Amino acid sequence: KLNGHSPETVFHDTAGWGNLETNMKALECIIVKTGSSFEQCIGAELLDLVFGSLKHTNRFVRETGYMVCGALVSIHPLDEAAENKGQIWKIGQRFANALEIGLADNWSQVRMAACCATRAFLLGIPESGRSEFYPQILPPLCLNRYYIAEGVRLHCQATWRMLFSVSGVAAVEQNLATIVPFYVLQSEADNHAVREAACACIAELATKVGTDPVKRYVPDLITALLVCFEDDSWPVRDAACTACGNFVSAFADECETYVSRLMPLFYMNLEDNIPSVR
């Protein structure tokens, strides 16, 4: 036993899950190779199997499940002019729900698979129809642009450019009602890398987004940053310090009541043992 855990418990979330992972990978290959011909094989039973795998306790199964999702949406680009848009797009909301969860998975490999599926999903929809899914998908997509895992970070940055080019700020402003609560929630995550990314995203709201749309959310955002300012992880403290400085500069009036709490924390960081935090 290891720390009181049996081998079965220790390997439950790290080792491959028997034949299930292999079968899901085989299913992905079949979908990719057969292309649009696979549509006749898509039914409720198959979709329930795929979406069920996304909730599996084993990360390898979840990863391959999102790969299958990416393959499914890749063979079904949405044609608004067609009478039959395909079975996949009839349940687009179900895909959006699953992608939202996968983009916030605690395992980087699962996030990466979800990122690939998200790109295929959104780019398969005409630009005029994507906004329906933005309230759910944009918050985790935004955060992953600052995620510590390089593959996830670069992939999401590229996806963002593909989707918005120069209209990204407007998209964020239109979806602040879901983006801000997500940032605040992620600033409390168990994973320190997620907390750091959340602070970087919050800092971005003060420097790249218009002040009027963000102003109403300043109390919630500053409150979240104050907690991160005293985090045990120094990269989180560093990111929170930068974000607080950005908010005080951009929203001086709104932050006035928080100065008495912020100043001691700024001075504390000036004495931090980590040079970059200083």
Side-chain angles (χ1 to χ4, degrees), residues 73 89 92 95-96 99 116-125 133 137:
V73 296
W89 301 108
F95 270 94
L99 293 172
C116 295
T118 299
R119 177 188 291 184
F121 177 74
L122 291 176
L123 293 181
I125 306 173
F133 306 107
I137 294 180

Side-chain angles (χ1 to χ4, degrees), residues 62 68 82 85 110 115 131 136 149 191 193 211-212 260 271:
R62 296 199 304 275
V68 172
K85 295 182 173 63
V110 179
C115 288
S131 59
Q136 286 180 272
N191 189 333
T211 56
D212 288 338
S260 60
E271 300 176 351

Side-chain angles (χ1 to χ4, degrees), residues 113-191:
C115 288
C116 295
T118 299
R119 177 188 291 184
F121 177 74
L122 291 176
L123 293 181
I125 306 173
E127 189 171 352
S128 59
R130 295 171 188 166
S131 59
E132 174 186 353
F133 306 107
Y134 284 165
Q136 286 180 272
I137 294 180
L138 282 196
L141 183 61
C142 284
L143 185 138
N144 283 329
R145 294 176 300 126
Y146 290 94
Y147 192 62
I148 192 170
E150 185 177 22
V152 172
R153 184 174 67 250
L154 295 179
H155 190 278
C156 286
Q157 290 173 0
T159 299
W160 190 267
R161 291 192 294 269
M162 293 177 186
L163 290 172
F164 301 112
S165 183
V166 295
S167 61
V169 172
V172 171
E173 290 178 352
Q174 293 166 8
N175 293 278
L176 282 174
T178 55
I179 288 176
V180 170
F182 182 79
Y183 286 174
V184 172
L185 180 64
Q186 295 303 297
S187 71
E188 303 169 356
D190 292 335
N191 189 333

Side-chain angles (χ1 to χ4, degrees), residues 17-195:
W17 190 270
N19 294 328
L20 181 55
E21 177 196 357
T22 304
N23 291 341
M24 293 296 292
K25 189 65 179 176
L27 176 60
E28 178 199 3
C29 293
I30 292 172
I31 296 171
V32 171
K33 295 298 183 181
T34 57
S36 58
S37 300
F38 189 80
E39 182 176 2
Q40 60 183 334
C41 302
I42 299 175
E45 186 177 1
L46 176 68
L47 293 173
D48 288 343
L49 169 67
V50 173
F51 286 114
S53 71
L54 306 181
K55 301 176 183 178
H56 202 278
T57 56
N58 185 271
R59 66 182 176 96
F60 294 101
V61 175
R62 296 199 304 275
E63 180 185 2
T64 52
Y66 279 107
M67 290 178 179
V68 172
C69 284
L72 284 172
V73 296
S74 295
I75 66 170
H76 286 284
L78 179 59
D79 183 3
E80 291 184 329
E83 292 184 8
N84 180 12
K85 295 182 173 63
Q87 297 186 57
I88 292 301
W89 301 108
K90 293 178 182 178
I91 56 169
Q93 191 59 56
R94 193 176 181 185
F95 270 94
N97 294 341
L99 293 172
E100 178 187 14
I101 296 172
L103 288 170
D105 197 277
N106 200 43
W107 288 93
S108 298
Q109 293 91 336
V110 179
R111 284 198 187 218
M112 187 67 205
C115 288
C116 295
T118 299
R119 177 188 291 184
F121 177 74
L122 291 176
L123 293 181
I125 306 173
E127 189 171 352
S128 59
R130 295 171 188 166
S131 59
E132 174 186 353
F133 306 107
Y134 284 165
Q136 286 180 272
I137 294 180
L138 282 196
L141 183 61
C142 284
L143 185 138
N144 283 329
R145 294 176 300 126
Y146 290 94
Y147 192 62
I148 192 170
E150 185 177 22
V152 172
R153 184 174 67 250
L154 295 179
H155 190 278
C156 286
Q157 290 173 0
T159 299
W160 190 267
R161 291 192 294 269
M162 293 177 186
L163 290 172
F164 301 112
S165 183
V166 295
S167 61
V169 172
V172 171
E173 290 178 352
Q174 293 166 8
N175 293 278
L176 282 174
T178 55
I179 288 176
V180 170
F182 182 79
Y183 286 174
V184 172
L185 180 64
Q186 295 303 297
S187 71
E188 303 169 356
D190 292 335
N191 189 333
H192 70 89
V194 175
R195 299 197 300 273

